[in-house]
Amino acid sequence: MSTYAVTGAASGMGRAVAEKLTAAGHTVIDVDIAEATVQADLSTPVGRREAAAAVLERCGGRLDGAVMAAGLGPAPGRERPRLIAEVNYFGVVELLEAWRPALAAADDAKVVVFSSNSSTTVPMVPGRAVRGLLDGDIDRVLGALRIFGKQAPTFAYAASKIAVSRWVRRTAVTSGWAGAGIRLNAIAPGAVLTPLLEKQLATPAEAKQIKRFPVPIGGFGDPDHLADWVVFMLSDAAAFLCGSVVFVDGGSDAWFRADDWPRGVPARRLRSYLNRMREFRR
């Protein structure tokens, strides 16, 4: 049996994942702000360091995998954009960087990061905010989002999910991750009937917007079904899965960008592509 760290394990999809792993006989080190084995506030640098250290202590320096499900949605509030950036991006990246040696010690560890189809279905997300997250510059992120006023949390959420998806893609293929036997991937759910979505549906204005959003198969996702996908991505069957972002969203991403992906390498990037090929062959 294996040992997994699961953030956001007290509710929603994180809880469903933790329950399925526990039921299968695995050891789960659950992390959340409350009602968890490791209680920590991932919206602060201190909280993230404490969470990382507590998990490393409990796993004895070896982790067979991690599921990064902790996240904040785009609720109203002046401080919400900062909290979203801190939890959704830094609460993933900083913990995983701290846990990398323990994951490498397992030889064939699997990591699943929760992204979102908001990474491809929200228009006009400021690239400066995304780049700010990837560069670790929270002030630049907040500056880029300030122009959106009350809508800033929506764009902060989408920017956080774009950034974390790009971090997964960039990091997964490096020698410190793929080369160390760690398989790093992301799952991008759509509208899943979690407590967060139920709360939004209870507000008439938000419910109207949510129900107008295109979901070709109709309805909402089930947290247990998403958890099944995560368990698969942690299994031996996913050994060849590396740097992927898997959309499980009822067809929304495909509806919005049916012709955008896959796409060949543009001519303007051919030189960079060939240089990377040569670098890899060395």
Side-chain angles (χ1 to χ4, degrees), residues 191-195 197-198 201 220-223:
V192 178
L193 202 56
T194 61
L197 181 59
E198 289 173 348
L201 290 171
F220 302 113
D222 185 304

Side-chain angles (χ1 to χ4, degrees), residues 39-173:
Q39 296 186 24
D41 183 355
L42 300 185
S43 72
T44 69
V46 172
R48 294 191 289 270
R49 287 195 295 269
E50 290 176 348
V55 169
L56 289 173
E57 182 179 355
R58 288 181 175 274
C59 75
R62 176 193 167 106
L63 270 177
D64 296 288
V67 178
M68 314 307 286
L72 294 178
R78 185 176 179 180
E79 292 300 315
R80 195 68 173 186
R82 176 182 288 275
L83 292 173
I84 288 170
E86 296 279 9
V87 175
N88 294 10
Y89 183 77
F90 296 109
V92 172
V93 172
E94 290 180 13
L95 266 62
L96 286 180
E97 288 176 341
W99 294 342
R100 195 203 64 80
L103 291 162
D107 294 326
D108 60 350
K110 312 285 195 308
V111 176
V112 180
V113 170
F114 269 78
S115 179
S116 166
N117 72 349
S118 292
S119 61
T120 60
T121 62
V122 175
M124 299 174 58
V125 179
R128 186 164 172 254
V130 175
R131 292 190 295 273
L133 286 165
L134 289 164
D135 292 340
D137 188 343
I138 189 68
D139 291 331
R140 180 154 41 119
V141 175
L142 298 177
L145 294 169
R146 200 167 289 126
I147 62 171
F148 293 99
K150 291 183 179 180
Q151 296 300 315
T154 297
F155 292 96
Y157 181 79
S160 73
K161 295 303 185 179
I162 294 171
V164 83
S165 297
R166 289 187 186 173
W167 181 85
V168 165
R169 298 273 289 169
R170 293 177 180 183
T171 305
V173 296

Side-chain angles (χ1 to χ4, degrees), residues 21-42:
L21 291 174
T22 300
H26 301 296
T27 298
V28 173
I29 305 172
D30 52 315
V31 181
D32 215 310
I33 196 167
E35 300 179 13
T37 302
V38 174
Q39 296 186 24
D41 183 355
L42 300 185

